[in-house]
Amino acid sequence: MSKNTPGPSRALEIQVPCIVFLVTTPAFVAIRLWSRVKSKSGLGWDDCTILASCIFAIIVMAFMLASCAYGFGQHIANLTTPHKLMTLKLFFVSQAFYKLTMNMTKMSILMLYLRIFIQRWFRITCHVLLAIITSYMVATFFASVFQCTPVARAWNKTIPGSCINITTNWYANAGFSIATDIIILTLPMYPLYTSKIRLKRKIALMGVFALGTFVAITSILRMQTLDFSSTSPDITYDIASSVWTITEENVAITCACLPMMWMPLARLFPSIFSIDHGADSHGSSAAKNSEPNTTSRPRSNWTQLHAYPDTKGISMDQTSDSPNRSSEDSAGEGGESQDQIENGITKVTEYYVSYSNAKSLRGKYISRPE
């Protein structure tokens, strides 16, 4: 602002990442939604929450850019009083929306897990984490808004009143964020590790989910700047924590979108992310079993786990010894309900049959072809 006293400014440290992420973050969310619509798997609550998180992230960056226009990034002594108050007010609002962004991103990831995995212990854990994170999001949002009494004291310390310890509040929020990041990151690894899928695909899936490590790293790096930024007398110039705030929330949204981008990844890297399950070892051996003059018998006792972009999550292809059991009878192991099928678990019963004498097979479950 022209009315501020000229001096050094660190505004570009805020403006550059904001401009970059204002392009890339909505792009990743758009690709995610396009992939879901294109594959006809349908949009779910995980998509709605990540879209809301993206909107909140855009609001955070918009307020940060506006605060830079009033002097955020410059020495506080160089700002006029009206500009200083407006800068701090915009920063105050952005911090509240940051709490919503981070926690809704975590909720989106957990809702995605619920669309993919059917293990009882896993789903219970996800629901417990959802309840904890939702409660914490509401609590920390109101704690951020009402950190001072009256509220206006948060950006104008000349108003009589009281405030909570900002440093303690920021550290508590960072600690909770890092802890939940690590839990959410490691949660799907065991089910994926024990799944019966090809090693290459298993490593690719685990690698995609492990990209959340970058979120935990940015949270840790941000945490190291909190004490300095929260206690600095020159709060408009010492903006290291604000830079990491913008980076952290946008990296989190991007990583949350990557597991749903299997279709674009499969097109870019078909050898790793191929969705053609015909190349599986079982598929190739099935072709051999379908040759004439061999014994007729259904293949059984194997379960293949696939991550298909054209389904709502991970589907399970499993043969069965029962000839009359259809693919819609159950899902997963132990006969899950049709509701779980609609939530993304599909069981496909396949029979690989060949015969040399149709009469010998009559009376079983194969009839003479007409």
Side-chain angles (χ1 to χ4, degrees):
M1 302 295 286
S2 58
K3 294 182 180 180
N4 293 334
T5 303
S9 175
R10 300 178 62 184
L12 283 177
E13 297 179 26
I14 296 291
Q15 294 168 332
V16 171
C18 279
I19 293 172
V20 171
F21 286 126
L22 279 172
V23 175
T24 59
T25 300
F28 273 97
V29 175
I31 294 173
R32 168 185 175 147
L33 299 180
W34 169 83
S35 180
R36 278 282 170 85
V37 173
K38 188 72 173 178
S39 63
K40 297 181 176 60
S41 62
L43 300 178
W45 283 108
D46 56 323
D47 302 302
C48 296
T49 49
I50 201 64
L51 180 60
S53 178
C54 180
I55 293 173
F56 291 144
I58 292 173
I59 293 174
V60 171
M61 290 184 285
F63 276 108
M64 293 304 297
L65 287 173
S67 67
C68 289
Y70 281 95
F72 194 72
Q74 302 179 33
H75 289 291
I76 194 169
N78 294 342
L79 306 183
T80 63
T81 299
H83 291 168
K84 178 178 68 175
L85 294 178
M86 181 57 69
T87 297
L88 296 178
K89 183 185 294 187
L90 293 169
F91 175 76
F92 165 79
V93 176
S94 69
Q95 287 296 305
F97 279 100
Y98 160 77
K99 307 299 194 306
L100 296 177
T101 299
M102 290 302 300
N103 288 287
M104 292 202 76
T105 302
K106 299 176 194 295
M107 292 166 60
S108 175
I109 297 173
L110 290 171
M111 290 176 183
L112 170 66
Y113 288 172
L114 290 174
R115 294 184 67 170
I116 297 177
F117 300 97
I118 64 171
Q119 292 87 343
R120 180 177 174 81
W121 67 268
F122 190 96
R123 298 179 67 83
I124 291 175
T125 304
C126 287
H127 282 108
V128 171
L129 286 173
L130 273 173
I132 293 173
I133 291 174
T134 303
S135 301
Y136 183 82
M137 178 183 68
V138 175
T140 192
F141 174 78
F142 284 104
S144 181
V145 173
F146 300 103
Q147 60 184 269
C148 293
T149 306
V151 174
R153 180 175 165 78
W155 61 83
N156 188 358
K157 300 303 182 184
T158 62
I159 298 177
S162 60
C163 296
I164 63 175
N165 190 313
I166 298 300
T167 304
T168 302
N169 178 263
W170 284 9
Y171 269 109
N173 182 71
F176 178 86
S177 181
I178 294 171
T180 50
D181 282 343
I182 294 174
I183 294 174
I184 293 173
L185 172 66
T186 57
L187 195 58
M189 295 304 170
Y190 179 75
L192 288 175
Y193 177 76
T194 56
S195 62
K196 298 178 181 179
I197 60 178
R198 288 185 303 164
L199 180 61
K200 182 184 293 186
R201 184 172 295 172
K202 181 185 298 187
I203 294 174
L205 279 169
M206 295 179 71
V208 170
F209 283 107
L211 290 175
T213 305
F214 291 107
V215 183
I217 293 174
T218 55
S219 298
I220 293 172
L221 293 174
R222 176 180 177 271
M223 190 177 188
Q224 295 178 349
T225 66
L226 294 181
D227 183 64
F228 176 71
S229 296
S230 61
T231 59
S232 173
D234 198 359
I235 55 177
T236 60
Y237 186 77
D238 298 324
I239 59 174
S241 65
S242 298
V243 176
W244 283 112
T245 293
I246 295 169
T247 304
E248 179 189 20
E249 65 177 5
N250 286 281
V251 169
I253 295 173
T254 301
C255 291
C257 291
L258 290 176
M260 276 65 62
M261 296 174 66
W262 195 273
M263 182 184 297
L265 290 174
R267 293 179 178 179
L268 293 174
F269 309 101
S271 62
I272 299 177
F273 297 96
S274 175
I275 59 176
D276 183 10
H277 59 285
D280 287 349
S281 59
H282 296 295
S284 61
S285 61
K288 297 179 180 179
N289 291 339
S290 63
E291 296 176 356
N293 302 322
T294 58
T295 304
S296 171
R297 65 180 179 85
R299 298 176 58 214
S300 59
N301 298 328
W302 63 270
T303 301
Q304 187 73 11
L305 190 64
H306 296 291
Y308 291 126
D310 55 345
T311 65
K312 292 182 180 179
I314 291 182
S315 63
M316 303 182 71
D317 295 351
Q318 185 176 17
T319 58
S320 173
D321 290 328
S322 175
N324 299 319
R325 190 177 185 184
S326 68
S327 63
E328 295 181 355
D329 288 341
S330 62
E333 299 177 1
E336 301 295 335
S337 65
Q338 178 67 21
D339 292 338
Q340 288 178 325
I341 296 176
E342 295 175 354
N343 287 333
I345 306 301
T346 304
K347 182 176 179 179
V348 180
T349 305
E350 299 179 356
Y351 299 94
Y352 300 87
V353 178
S354 61
Y355 56 88
S356 58
N357 187 354
K359 292 182 179 180
S360 64
L361 298 174
R362 188 181 300 173
K364 295 183 179 181
Y365 55 88
I366 303 296
S367 59
R368 178 191 295 272
E370 297 180 358

